[in-house]
Amino acid sequence: MGLRLAQETSEDWWEVEALYDLCFAPGREALSSYRLRDGNDPVAGLSLVARDDGIVIGAIRYWPVCVGGAAALLLGPVAVHPTHQGEGLGALLIEESLARATGWDRVMLVGDEPYYGKFGFHRLADVEMPPPTNPERVLGRALSPGAWDGVTGQVTPA
Ligand SMILES: CC(C)(COP(=O)(O)OP(=O)(O)OC[C@H]1O[C@@H](n2cnc3c(N)ncnc32)[C@H](O)[C@@H]1OP(=O)(O)O)[C@@H](O)C(=O)NCCC(=O)NCCS
């Protein structure tokens, strides 16, 4: 059967949660980015699940947010099972999902610039995540030319 990439459905939810629990430190839900997700559903059609012979080995979710009144995608969490890291699956999940993001102009995340810089993410100097977020980890990528120009302010739930 091999690797299969599919849109996440409600039936995948707990398997994806288990993968995130495995890949992230305990207490991940205390992160401020989760406050922007509370009470919202992931963006349908963009959140993807990778299965290898039926087992969930990778997942990516997106959430709708507002930045100073402009709509943006919040990417995350993205995770790949430790036994499959370094095989390019993280890159595949990011690129494949963003290729489907028609109708969205901008995407942001909280993460490591050395990793996400490879996918065209840069520091968003004037975009404020709820505290306590390290501002150096607030990154964005324009999905249409110049889409982050002049977009500043606080990130709020959509
Ligand atoms: C980050 C993660 C999703 C990457 O998935 P992956 O399938 O291993 O990634 P890829 O195979 O596409 O890329 C691997 C490369 O990224 C590098 N990399 C991974 N995490 C990195 C990080 N935080 N900073 C810099 N580089 C990183 C690896 O060293 C590797 O480099 P190489 O290609 O030069 O060997 C995965 O490692 C993971 O689930 N980590 C734990 C959860 C996590 O931290 N998620 C991101 C939260 S913001």
Side-chain angles (χ1 to χ4, degrees), residues 62-138:
Y62 290 88
W63 308 80
V65 293
C66 271
V67 183
L73 286 169
L74 178 68
L75 186 167
V78 53
V80 171
H81 192 283
T83 59
H84 287 274
Q85 288 178 9
E87 297 175 0
L89 184 54
L92 181 73
L93 286 166
I94 293 167
E95 294 295 7
E96 179 63 31
S97 53
L98 287 177
R100 300 177 184 208
T102 48
W104 292 87
D105 290 322
R106 58 192 74 75
V107 55
M108 63 169 297
L109 57 82
V110 180
D112 295 335
E113 193 169 22
Y115 183 67
Y116 292 103
K118 293 190 280 193
F119 308 105
F121 284 85
H122 303 286
R123 171 113 190 262
L124 294 173
D126 300 314
V127 172
E128 293 163 44
M129 283 289 288
T133 305
N134 178 349
E136 293 186 0
R137 292 172 56 78
V138 179

Side-chain angles (χ1 to χ4, degrees), residues 8 10 13 36-44 47 61-65 73-74 104 158:
E8 183 181 352
S10 55
W13 181 269
L36 296 167
R37 299 169 183 147
D38 290 342
N40 262 324
D41 289 327
V43 178
S47 300
R61 283 179 179 156
Y62 290 88
W63 308 80
V65 293
L73 286 169
L74 178 68
W104 292 87

